[in-house]
Amino acid sequence: MKKLLISLSALAVLAAASPAYASPVVPSESAVQKAQQFTKYYALRPNEISSLEGIYLKKGQQLTIFAQGSYAYYSVYDSSNHLGTFFNSNVGRIFTATEDGYLYVQFAAPSSYTINHITATYQIN
């Protein structure tokens, strides 16, 4: 009986000392409504094209792309793979989803003698 009480108390101490990340957390709806932002880094050889980056948007959501680099060329495709636009500036661009689905972003490196480093920051509102 004494061993049973000791093992139960040890189990209670371990359960109370469990880390906070082990408990389930349900995000509130207001947290989901906030803007999401993430950054991706690309290193492209001359004349190389990156893979398509699919970003899911609901109708009415906006995607802002800030591409920085010496040669930050990129194309944006809609959910039916139609070429939307081709940009080559370091200015942030805003794209609004007209329907639920993916917008695809693809970077391209021009002919040069060095590796092209591109930092792309995506923000979803």
Side-chain angles (χ1 to χ4, degrees):
M1 184 71 163
K2 190 174 186 180
K3 288 183 182 180
L4 178 65
L5 289 175
I6 291 174
S7 62
L8 285 176
S9 63
L11 183 63
V13 168
L14 287 175
S18 66
Y21 61 83
S23 61
V25 176
V26 178
S28 66
E29 192 168 324
S30 63
V32 175
Q33 297 292 332
K34 291 182 182 177
Q36 300 170 349
Q37 183 173 336
F38 56 97
T39 302
K40 291 197 174 191
Y41 303 95
Y42 302 91
L44 301 174
R45 291 185 292 262
N47 296 320
E48 185 178 13
I49 297 174
S50 70
S51 60
L52 288 172
E53 296 284 342
I55 301 170
Y56 186 81
L57 297 174
K58 293 182 181 178
K59 183 177 181 177
Q61 280 187 318
Q62 293 181 333
L63 173 66
T64 305
I65 301 174
F66 296 101
Q68 297 179 340
S70 56
Y71 299 103
Y73 297 110
Y74 63 96
S75 300
V76 178
Y77 300 86
D78 63 5
S79 56
S80 39
N81 285 334
H82 291 102
L83 177 63
T85 48
F86 184 75
F87 295 104
N88 62 353
S89 66
N90 293 334
V91 178
R93 303 287 179 173
I94 300 174
F95 303 93
T96 303
T98 57
E99 60 184 22
D100 291 356
Y102 284 92
L103 281 183
Y104 297 96
V105 180
Q106 185 175 40
F107 287 88
S111 296
S112 65
Y113 295 105
T114 61
I115 301 254
N116 293 296
H117 297 280
I118 300 169
T119 302
T121 302
Y122 302 95
Q123 183 174 352
I124 301 172
N125 292 328

